[in-house]
Amino acid sequence: MTIAPEVFTKSAAPEFLELEITGRCQLTCPCYAKAGPTEDHGSLTADGWKQIISEAAEIGVKKVQFIGGEPSSHPQFEALMHLALALGLEVQVYSNLYRVKWAHWDLFAHPRVSLATSYYSDIAEEHDRVTGRKGSHGATRANIVQAIDRGIPLQVGIVEVFEGQRTTAARKELLGLGVRAVNTDRVRSIGRGEVHVPSTADLCGRCAKGRAAVMTNGTVTPCVLGRFLPTGNAKDDGLAAVFGGWQWAATAAHIPARTASACPPDDSGDCDPANTEACDPAY
């Protein structure tokens, strides 16, 4: 008997593209990227990133997210942001908000720019335990307040790293400060948080569903958490070729669909869409 090969439907370009422009970060959280103070910016040059951003706009990407590591540590961070905005893209910066250059606040105030950050507890000792840097809680909290006061759209991710962590209290504090979008998640077995060989079961189910990511060497993956699933290289192959290829389609087809359990309840016990595990690269 002849077994017919699997057939995969080619996918259109995703509307949301995560750009991991650096592995450098002042903090040492148990993150998916193993980012830290001793990591570098990767092998992609600034020109390489500019080419990728330009092609992203050409093929229909609507929004890019600069992420790392700490994306603002990249020497061409401002230039890359200006290019994305000039091309009409929406831009989100996923920053630890530990240190923010004063000049960056004006850049973040652009009407097509939003911010995202991570917050681990309402108690400094717990937050700093996760980040590995004393004083990071106070600095990040102060810059969260600064973003809110400036009217900059802000999304905050809370990840439960250890048992007993005050994640519920942290969420209430953020909502009280005026943050409207608070996502919760758990540590997944990826990167520095790895406890077993990562698999598609470690993903939230939204990777490759209208989103994708480009790593610091140009590798294209379903999302930053799906970094163990390479589907091509944006520098070598081009984004259009990757998203039109069978490797991307096959990978997307094998990622389990998201379930209702990925929507944690709010204080009333109902599912709160603003509190979802939305493939949030918050850790």
Side-chain angles (χ1 to χ4, degrees), residues 17 45 50 57 61 106 114 118 125 128 141 143 160 165 172 188 194-195 197 209 215 220 224 238 259 280 283:
L17 187 62
T45 64
K50 289 176 182 178
V61 172
D106 291 336
S114 62
S118 303
E125 290 77 8
D128 295 355
R141 188 184 187 282
N143 284 320
E160 184 176 6
Q165 185 180 331
K172 288 182 178 179
R188 300 176 187 272
E194 185 175 317
V195 294
V197 176
K209 309 298 190 295
M215 304 290 101
V220 179
V224 289
T259 64
D280 185 4
Y283 66 97

Side-chain angles (χ1 to χ4, degrees), residues 94 117 119 155-159 171 174 179 181-185 264 272-282:
Y94 209 115
T117 193
Y119 195 68
Q155 170 188 331
V156 181
I158 305 172
V159 176
R171 182 171 185 268
L174 291 168
V179 180
V182 181
N183 297 336
T184 59
D185 206 347
D272 180 0
N275 188 31
T276 58
E277 295 178 347
C279 269
D280 185 4

Side-chain angles (χ1 to χ4, degrees), residues 53 100 104 182 232:
I53 293 169
V100 180
H104 285 171
V182 181

Side-chain angles (χ1 to χ4, degrees), residues 20 22-37 39 67-70 94 96 118 120 129-132 159-161 185-195 198 224-227 280-283:
E20 188 175 293
T22 182
R24 186 169 298 170
C25 185
Q26 310 99 317
L27 312 179
T28 55
C29 311
C31 68
Y32 60 88
K34 297 184 179 180
E39 299 300 319
I67 193 168
E70 171 50 45
Y94 209 115
N96 57 38
S118 303
Y120 300 103
R129 171 183 170 184
V130 175
T131 65
V159 176
E160 184 176 6
V161 178
D185 206 347
R186 55 182 170 78
V187 172
R188 300 176 187 272
S189 185
I190 299 165
R192 196 176 286 130
E194 185 175 317
V195 294
V224 289
L225 296 180
R227 60 202 311 108
D280 185 4
Y283 66 97

Side-chain angles (χ1 to χ4, degrees), residues 17-200:
L17 187 62
E18 298 162 309
L19 305 176
E20 188 175 293
I21 61 175
T22 182
R24 186 169 298 170
C25 185
Q26 310 99 317
L27 312 179
T28 55
C29 311
C31 68
Y32 60 88
K34 297 184 179 180
T38 62
E39 299 300 319
D40 59 28
H41 301 305
S43 60
L44 263 179
T45 64
D47 286 342
W49 280 116
K50 289 176 182 178
Q51 179 180 337
I52 290 170
I53 293 169
S54 296
E55 186 183 3
E58 289 175 3
I59 65 175
V61 172
K62 304 299 183 185
K63 182 176 183 177
V64 294
Q65 180 189 72
F66 290 104
I67 193 168
E70 171 50 45
S72 65
S73 70
H74 192 284
Q76 294 296 312
F77 169 68
E78 293 179 31
L80 297 177
M81 277 200 67
H82 282 302
L83 173 61
L85 291 170
L87 292 170
L89 294 167
E90 297 284 330
V91 174
Q92 184 177 73
V93 180
Y94 209 115
S95 168
N96 57 38
L97 293 184
Y98 173 62
R99 292 285 184 264
V100 180
K101 292 182 179 179
W102 195 253
H104 285 171
W105 285 118
D106 291 336
L107 187 56
F108 297 158
H110 189 284
R112 281 189 279 112
V113 173
S114 62
L115 288 174
T117 193
S118 303
Y119 195 68
Y120 300 103
S121 175
D122 62 325
I123 296 178
E125 290 77 8
E126 285 193 358
H127 180 95
D128 295 355
R129 171 183 170 184
V130 175
T131 65
R133 183 173 287 271
K134 187 174 181 179
S136 61
H137 175 269
T140 295
R141 188 184 187 282
N143 284 320
I144 286 174
V145 172
Q146 182 77 227
I148 293 169
D149 288 346
R150 289 173 176 266
I152 299 171
L154 174 67
Q155 170 188 331
V156 181
I158 305 172
V159 176
E160 184 176 6
V161 178
F162 57 86
E163 187 175 353
Q165 185 180 331
R166 291 171 57 88
T167 54
T168 299
R171 182 171 185 268
K172 288 182 178 179
E173 179 188 25
L174 291 168
L175 294 174
L177 289 174
V179 180
R180 291 190 173 186
V182 181
N183 297 336
T184 59
D185 206 347
R186 55 182 170 78
V187 172
R188 300 176 187 272
S189 185
I190 299 165
R192 196 176 286 130
E194 185 175 317
V195 294
H196 59 254
V197 176
S199 72
T200 56

